[in-house]
Structure formats: C-alpha cells, structure tokens
Amino acid sequence: MTKKRPLPPERKAECDAAHELFLSKKKELGLSQKKIADLAEMTPAAVNLYFKGINALNVQFASVLASAINEPIERFSPRLAREAEMINKAINLKS
C-alpha cells in the first residue's frame, strides 16, 4: 500500500482553517462531523480526512461546509471561493 503524499502547505492551510472555523462554530450551531458528512453525502471519515489535511478541500465540500457554518468559503479558502464564483457565473450565463 502506498502512502499518500502530504498536501502542499497552502492546501494544508485551507484544511486547517476550515477545521478551526468548524470547531469555533460547531457548539453554537449544534454541528458535528457526522452532520457535515450527512449534508455532504459522504462518510464522517471522509470529512475527517479533509479536516486533518490528508485530502485537499474541493469546491463541493467547501460549499457544503460554508453553508452549514454560515460563513463564506473565502473565510477558509480564497482559492475555492474564486472557483465557486466562476462556477456560479457559468451557471447563470444568459444565452
């Protein structure tokens, strides 16, 4: 079995920031990793891999997390906030 390569520092920092924001809001909002996992339609173990910085955050998970904690994606990942904005613009293009 091959061990996964560590994330680049900037991607690990996004995971750390997302986890810290989740931790700061979870009690107030009554959240758990299981609730986030259910919202994201994944396992709690998969959520944990994001929060521990094993897997890099993606725009789909970032949008679910941001919605659950009532914070903009930009608070933990300006990179993914830009990606989400580009996707939103593409969806809303008028033909």
Side-chain angles (χ1 to χ4, degrees), residues 22 31-51 56-69 76:
F22 166 75
L31 292 173
S32 65
Q33 285 190 20
K34 170 128 178 46
K35 285 185 181 179
I36 299 295
D38 290 346
L39 292 169
E41 299 180 349
M42 60 179 55
T43 65
V47 171
N48 196 45
L49 291 175
Y50 288 125
F51 285 160
L57 298 177
N58 59 48
V59 73
Q60 182 178 352
F61 179 75
S63 64
V64 169
L65 179 62
S67 179
I69 63 174
F76 56 90

Side-chain angles (χ1 to χ4, degrees), residues 3 8-9 11 24-25 30 34 40 42 52 57-58 62 64-65 71 81 87-89:
K3 191 171 181 177
R11 300 289 168 96
S24 74
K25 306 275 282 192
K34 170 128 178 46
M42 60 179 55
K52 296 298 179 194
L57 298 177
N58 59 48
V64 169
L65 179 62
E71 294 287 345
I87 290 169
N88 191 40
K89 283 180 184 176

